Amino acid sequence: MKESFLVHGGTRLQGAVKVTGAKNSVLKLMSAALLAPGRTTLTNCPEIADVPYMAEVLRGLGCDVELDGDTVRIDTPEVVEYDADFDAVRQFRASVAVLGPLTARRHRARVALPGGDAIGSRPLDMHQSGLEKMGAATRIEHGCVVAEAESMHGAKIKLDFPSVGATENILTAAVLAEGTTVLDNAAREPEIVDLCNFLNEMGAKVEGGGSNTITVEGVERLTPVEHEVVGDRIVAGTWAYAAAITQGDITVGGIDPAHLHLVLGKLKLAGAQVETYPTGFRVVQNSKPTAVDYQTLPFPGFPTDLQPLAIALCAVSEGMSVITENIFESRFRFVDEMMRLGVDASIDGHHVVIRGGRQLSSAPVWSSDIRAGAGLVLVGLVADGVTEVHDVYHIDRGYPGFEEQLNALGAKVERVQR
């Protein structure tokens, strides 16, 4: 039985929500727990489907993992396994984050090429190149990425693109390597900063997290710690856009608004009133939004994960918008589903042109990834009639209790089985 959402249109969202820890951080922190024998405790964890998926990956590597609400406890043995099998890994992309820690701890790793959202190619060439410069030999073999090394040493590494995943795997390999690693053109996302802070709490020597250049001085051993996961800026941004799309009023807590500086700035350009606080913000949209152009870029640019939400807002805005996708070549595949709801859109390569202001109408639509699914739900909230959004397991991978939170804000969203 597959589950769907029945989304009733004509809703103005109003109220307050609090986001939990970031999906794009907790999974990488769980992987990094492999670096330190003993018990690692992570708090403020989101209760999303990918967390138990990652727990299964870690159990397959010899860890004991306990999931207790928003707390994850990981007991890592002195000797971890090195083979992350296909059945555990195939369900989500973040599983590849075990590659760096396993290469650091065992000098050997075999990780099945991961699955995840259908948003475009995400090759591992930069991950492999970074590990090779630190002394590992890597190859793709029988559907797995394999890394092997006699020893690991520091190196100067420059990424062709500030890849989040490559930055994470190089960091987690470098913390136990002998000598100094300098990583240039590193990713700067808040989740990278969270990982750097976590590693330093464990006894690593990492400097420059959040900048273009990260320096790592290798140490012999790390110790487990308790760590609170950074708030999820993508979920927070989704609620910000939900307020603007429905001409609503939503206060969002549990997030540093500095992590969404450009995102909130775009909402101001669209006509929203935005107030920020030390641990949150409020978005109020009292009139029809104004069209705004977007282009996705690595942090601190506009996040590709919020691009479907931006398209949803443009669909109900007055005027024409151009959205440019610079990160994933297949991220526009969901636009056809939005067009089923009456969105006036045309795709030209990595650009999509939205002519907003049309009345939208309900239709059955299918989620292709986490953020596209959330965008379709929000469009359904302002369409006539009842929109059925299929394949909501994608949404469950990124949004804990999505329909419950929407309903608490005044929506009418039902989860049904078909």
Side-chain angles (χ1 to χ4, degrees):
M1 298 291 287
K2 291 188 175 181
E3 293 184 325
S4 303
F5 285 154
L6 299 181
V7 183
H8 294 253
T11 298
R12 179 180 188 267
L13 300 182
Q14 185 170 1
V17 295
K18 183 178 181 181
V19 301
T20 53
K23 167 188 178 291
N24 292 334
S25 187
V26 66
L27 304 176
K28 317 308 174 60
L29 299 175
M30 291 175 70
S31 296
L34 290 166
L35 292 164
R39 171 167 287 193
T40 294
T41 302
L42 301 174
T43 60
N44 195 38
C45 299
E47 296 183 57
I48 55 175
D50 277 10
V51 169
Y53 289 161
M54 182 59 84
E56 283 305 305
V57 173
L58 296 182
R59 290 180 184 122
L61 295 170
C63 300
D64 289 328
V65 185
E66 178 187 353
L67 307 180
D68 181 13
D70 69 350
T71 300
V72 175
R73 300 179 186 90
I74 302 164
D75 288 301
T76 301
E78 283 289 341
V79 179
V80 295
E81 301 295 329
Y82 64 86
D83 193 347
D85 67 40
F86 177 76
D87 285 341
V89 166
R90 67 184 175 85
Q91 302 180 81
F92 66 121
R93 177 70 187 184
S95 56
V96 78
V98 302
L99 179 63
L102 291 178
T103 307
R105 281 288 307 280
R106 287 296 308 268
H107 293 174
R108 187 176 185 184
R110 180 182 176 87
V111 182
L113 294 175
D117 291 332
I119 58 177
S121 174
R122 294 189 276 190
L124 300 180
D125 53 343
M126 285 186 286
H127 304 239
Q128 293 177 255
S129 176
L131 295 178
E132 288 169 0
K133 289 179 180 177
M134 287 188 281
T138 74
R139 62 187 183 274
I140 302 296
E141 177 181 86
H142 303 303
C144 298
V145 56
V146 178
E148 297 173 327
E150 291 293 328
S151 61
M152 296 290 286
H153 56 76
K156 291 185 178 180
I157 302 169
K158 184 173 183 179
L159 297 179
D160 295 333
F161 176 84
S163 161
V164 171
T167 297
E168 291 162 341
N169 267 325
I170 292 168
L171 269 177
T172 52
V175 290
L176 293 180
E178 183 177 352
T180 302
T181 298
V182 179
L183 178 59
D184 285 327
N185 201 26
R188 300 168 56 190
E189 276 75 0
E191 296 80 20
I192 294 291
V193 177
D194 199 28
L195 177 60
C196 290
N197 291 339
F198 177 62
L199 293 172
N200 284 335
E201 291 163 13
M202 297 166 77
K205 297 180 179 179
V206 181
E207 296 181 353
S211 72
N212 290 323
T213 301
I214 299 176
T215 302
V216 183
E217 184 70 32
V219 298
E220 290 187 2
R221 187 177 176 91
L222 299 176
T223 56
V225 295
E226 181 172 328
H227 178 84
E228 181 177 337
V229 182
V230 70
D232 197 318
R233 63 192 171 96
I234 304 302
V235 173
T238 299
W239 294 121
Y241 274 75
I245 291 165
T246 65
Q247 295 185 40
D249 179 351
I250 300 178
T251 298
V252 182
I255 187 70
D256 182 348
H259 296 167
L260 291 164
H261 177 74
L262 180 58
V263 171
L264 298 177
K266 287 288 188 179
L267 290 179
K268 291 179 183 178
L269 291 176
Q273 300 172 29
V274 179
E275 300 176 54
T276 60
Y277 315 106
T279 58
F281 58 85
R282 179 185 181 191
V283 175
V284 183
Q285 185 82 40
N286 288 320
S287 59
K288 201 171 188 66
T290 301
V292 177
D293 293 338
Y294 293 85
Q295 61 171 327
T296 64
L297 290 167
F299 189 86
F302 192 85
T304 182
D305 278 353
L306 287 178
Q307 177 250 89
L309 290 308
I311 289 179
L313 177 60
C314 293
V316 299
S317 299
E318 290 289 354
M320 184 177 73
S321 304
V322 178
I323 294 90
T324 303
E325 174 57 49
N326 293 308
I327 310 298
F328 294 122
E329 74 277 7
S330 299
R331 190 121 218 189
F332 287 146
R333 63 180 297 173
F334 71 92
V335 173
D336 287 343
E337 296 303 302
M338 286 198 171
M339 292 170 67
R340 292 169 61 86
L341 297 171
V343 174
D344 187 348
S346 55
I347 300 172
D348 181 11
H350 64 120
H351 308 281
V352 60
V353 177
I354 307 291
R355 296 169 182 84
R358 293 177 54 177
Q359 178 57 52
L360 306 179
S361 58
S362 60
V365 291
W366 280 260
S367 304
S368 57
D369 66 77
I370 298 170
R371 313 305 170 183
L376 290 168
V377 169
L378 296 187
V379 172
L381 290 176
V382 292
D384 285 342
V386 179
T387 295
E388 184 166 6
V389 181
H390 296 271
D391 294 342
V392 299
Y393 67 88
H394 285 296
I395 300 172
D396 292 337
R397 290 182 46 232
Y399 294 91
F402 194 48
E403 75 273 24
E404 290 93 341
Q405 289 185 300
L406 283 167
N407 291 336
L409 293 171
K412 185 179 179 182
V413 179
E414 304 169 74
R415 183 184 290 261
V416 298
Q417 291 187 334
R418 300 296 193 192

